[in-house]
């Protein structure tokens, strides 16, 4: 739900002695990478134009759950464009200390291939030709031309499977008059929510359904989450990470998501499932969001699973 709650896109690797390096080879072209995991990598490009084939190399292997299509990968990264005229740094997460969130299967094909099978603690370097990137038209918004090859170094922090859910202490079933009831659901499925036959509350309502066993979410962190969004007026789902087929990543507490999320999720523990009842003023305001049928007077209900915070 990127545009619906103004989610940010997102993206991965591991500790290396400074003397180590890896080459991403193919078509007679090498890109060398050195440096420690979690720190800005040292990337050395050869002279000349890049090769025209896709290539990926694991610099350091990690452990844990291997990423598959539909999973969310959280990673630190640097990204370059490369053509016969030279190369240019396009993006780096290391300068701000904020990792990226990469929903595999919804990325350019080359990045999805590069993430396939990676585990937390992995560093990979990949060269992505236009056919596996943005194609002949490029992507002017991201300063990528039609003939540009992309090069990424990715330090994988975490992998969140599409079936990930809450973990912690389940609280007593919510049975408060005037608040929705949330049913249990199988892993990877949105829970059913039953709305009360009453007017919606005028203030933000936050209830913890599962108290997570992880640390408290802090302002300015990237959170990995599952969520379902429901209309108070009829209980229908207007958007859901479960229906989209993968978890999402969003910066929290910094005004980059709706106010109801910023106020309701900061301080909750990782692993929690949280019910939010968001009045219009803390949601999309008087304009609503016509793209998803949200009216200016709509109270919105969310069930949010906090999978991780970085």
């Amino acid at each position: 739900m990127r545009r619906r709650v103004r989610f940010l896109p997102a993206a991965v690797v591991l500790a290396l002695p400074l003397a180590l390096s890896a080459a991403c080879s193919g078509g007679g072209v090498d890109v060398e990478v050195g440096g420690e995991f979690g720190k800005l990598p040292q990337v050395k490009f050869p002279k000349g134009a890049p090769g025209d084939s896709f290539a990926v190399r694991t610099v350091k292997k990690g452990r844990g759950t291997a990423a598959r299509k539909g999973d969310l990968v959280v990673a630190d990264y640097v990204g370059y464009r490369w053509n016969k005229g030279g190369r240019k740094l396009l993006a780096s997460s290391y300068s701000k200390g904020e990792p990226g969130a990469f929903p595999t299967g919804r990325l350019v094909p080359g990045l999805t291939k590069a993430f396939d099978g990676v585990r937390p603690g992995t560093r990979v370097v990949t060269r992505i030709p236009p056919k596996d990137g943005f194609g002949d038209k490029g992507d002017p918004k991201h300063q990528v031309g039609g003939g540009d090859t992309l090069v990424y170094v990715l330090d994988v922090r975490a992998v969140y499977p599409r079936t990930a859910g809450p973990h912690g202490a389940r609280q007593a079933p919510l049975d408060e008059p005037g608040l929705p009831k949330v049913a249990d659901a199988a892993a990877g499925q949105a829970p059913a929510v039953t709305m009360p036959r009453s007017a919606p509350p005028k203030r933000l309502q936050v209830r913890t359904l599962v108290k997570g066993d992880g640390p408290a979410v802090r302002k300015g962190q990237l959170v990995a989450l599952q969520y379902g969004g429901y209309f108070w007026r009829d209980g229908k789902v207007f958007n859901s990470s479960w229906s989209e087929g993968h978890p999402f990543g969003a910066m929290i507490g910094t005004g980059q998501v709706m106010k109801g999320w910023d106020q309701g999720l900061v301080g909750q523990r990782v692993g929690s499932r949280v019910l939010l009842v968001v009045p219009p003023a803390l949601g999309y305001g008087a304009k609503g969001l016509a793209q998803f049928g949200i009216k200016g007077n709509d109270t919105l209900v969310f069930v949010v699973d906090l999978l991780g915070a970085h």
Side-chain angles (χ1 to χ4, degrees):
M1 182 170 175
R2 291 186 180 117
R3 297 222 22 190
R4 318 77 164 171
V5 291
R6 302 202 301 266
F7 282 146
L8 295 180
V12 109
V13 116
L14 200 96
L16 299 175
L18 290 176
L20 290 184
S21 67
C24 174
S25 305
V29 178
D30 295 329
V31 175
E32 296 183 357
V33 178
E36 297 182 13
F37 170 80
K39 295 184 179 180
L40 183 66
Q42 301 156 2
V43 183
K44 183 178 180 181
F45 288 79
K47 295 180 180 179
D52 59 2
S53 62
F54 171 81
V56 62
R57 174 72 177 269
T58 299
V59 179
K60 176 68 177 181
K61 289 184 178 180
R63 297 180 178 181
T65 302
R68 294 290 180 258
K69 186 176 180 179
D71 294 348
L72 178 74
V73 177
V74 174
D76 298 296
Y77 64 95
V78 288
Y80 298 83
R81 74 177 186 211
W82 186 14
N83 54 41
K84 62 182 180 181
R87 75 276 185 184
K88 180 180 180 180
L89 177 66
L90 296 179
S92 171
S93 69
Y94 297 91
S95 58
K96 293 184 178 181
E98 299 174 357
F102 296 89
T104 59
R106 295 178 64 92
L107 308 167
V108 296
L111 272 177
T112 292
K113 290 195 287 186
F115 282 126
D116 187 41
V118 300
R119 301 174 188 271
T122 297
R123 169 169 280 183
V124 295
V125 54
T126 183
R127 186 188 63 221
I128 303 173
K131 64 182 179 181
D132 292 309
F134 291 105
D136 294 338
K137 295 182 179 180
D139 185 1
K141 180 180 177 181
H142 292 96
Q143 305 177 54
V144 178
D148 289 343
T149 288
L150 303 175
V151 172
Y152 282 90
V153 180
L154 302 151
D155 285 344
V156 179
R157 292 197 189 191
V159 174
Y160 296 99
R162 59 193 303 173
T163 56
H167 47 85
R170 187 174 298 276
Q171 306 299 286
L174 187 63
D175 192 22
E176 290 186 42
L179 286 183
K181 292 181 172 59
V182 182
D184 290 335
Q189 295 183 12
V193 178
T194 303
M195 303 300 166
R197 295 182 178 180
S198 59
K202 295 183 178 181
R203 295 185 179 183
L204 175 69
Q205 302 295 311
V206 183
R207 300 293 187 274
T208 302
L209 307 178
V210 176
K211 187 175 182 180
D213 52 16
V217 173
R218 303 192 309 274
K219 179 180 178 180
Q221 286 189 305
L222 171 73
V223 292
L225 50 86
Q226 301 270 33
Y227 73 93
Y230 309 76
F231 291 116
W232 178 280
R233 54 181 150 94
D234 58 12
K236 292 182 178 179
V237 178
F238 61 84
N239 192 253
S240 163
S241 67
W242 289 286
S243 62
E244 293 283 346
H246 58 81
F248 274 98
M251 299 299 297
I252 202 73
T254 61
Q256 295 178 13
V257 296
M258 64 171 61
K259 292 179 181 179
W261 280 40
D262 275 346
Q263 294 180 20
L265 297 181
V266 171
Q268 296 287 340
R269 294 193 171 277
V270 169
S272 294
R273 169 166 285 184
V274 181
L275 172 71
L276 302 174
V277 181
V278 181
L282 298 181
Y284 292 103
K287 292 184 178 180
L289 194 63
Q291 180 181 357
F292 294 97
I294 298 173
K295 301 176 182 179
N297 62 350
D298 266 330
T299 292
L300 305 177
V301 175
F302 293 94
V303 177
V304 182
D305 291 350
L306 293 168
L307 308 178
H310 303 271

